[in-house]
């Protein structure tokens, strides 16, 4: 199963249906609910960050950790399951169209949220110690797309 909104892939279709479509509250209790709320809060952000992390051809563990740091900064008020969120991030495989669709989704957000996303994006692409040409290209494309909506990063 592939979540077309994020590019996340799942090998277990029944698990996907229980956890992502039905959002079964009986599966996992309060911590699972907090984890779902964290994912909902930053879903488009994660599509952008995961795309940037992988656009150089590899998704380095340090880039995943930078994404998890971003989630902690944006969702620190929620008692989510970090291990489950790490698994969620690892399953993300957004393509270029997901990246640009997520930018469009976020264009109306508060400037402070977008500034945090910009900082998070830079942290992700710098996490492995190498700023690849593809990463630089898509960071610039993100800035340009947001500038078209009057948002400067």
């Amino acid at each position: 199963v592939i979540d077309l909104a994020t590019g996340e892939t799942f090998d277990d279709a029944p698990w996907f249906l229980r956890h992502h479509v039905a959002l079964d509250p009986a599966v996992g209790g309060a911590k699972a609910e907090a984890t779902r709320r964290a994912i909902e809060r930053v879903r488009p952000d994660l599509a952008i960050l995961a795309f940037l992390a992988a656009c150089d051809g590899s998704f380095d563990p340090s880039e995943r950790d930078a994404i998890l740091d971003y989630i902690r900064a944006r969702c620190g008020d929620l008692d989510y399951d970090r291990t489950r969120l790490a698994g969620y991030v690892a399953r993300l495989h957004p393509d270029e169209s997901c990246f640009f669709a997520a930018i469009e989704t976020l264009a109306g957000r508060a400037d402070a949220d977008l500034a945090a996303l910009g900082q998070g994006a830079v942290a992700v692409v710098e996490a492995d110690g190498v700023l690849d040409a593809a990463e630089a290209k898509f960071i610039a494309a993100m800035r340009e797309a947001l500038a078209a909506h009057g948002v400067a990063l």
Side-chain angles (χ1 to χ4, degrees), residues 35-56:
T35 304
R36 282 190 286 276
R37 288 179 46 217
I39 290 169
E40 288 173 16
R41 184 180 297 174
V42 295
R43 186 181 306 269
D45 311 51
L46 297 182
I48 291 168
L49 298 175
F51 176 80
L52 289 170
C55 73
D56 63 354

Side-chain angles (χ1 to χ4, degrees), residues 81-108:
D81 183 334
R82 182 178 166 93
T83 301
R84 188 168 177 193
L85 268 177
Y88 175 81
V89 169
R91 289 188 305 273
L92 292 174
H93 300 284
D95 62 12
E96 190 172 334
S97 66
C98 290
F99 172 75
F100 284 108
I103 290 170
E104 291 300 314
T105 298
L106 295 176

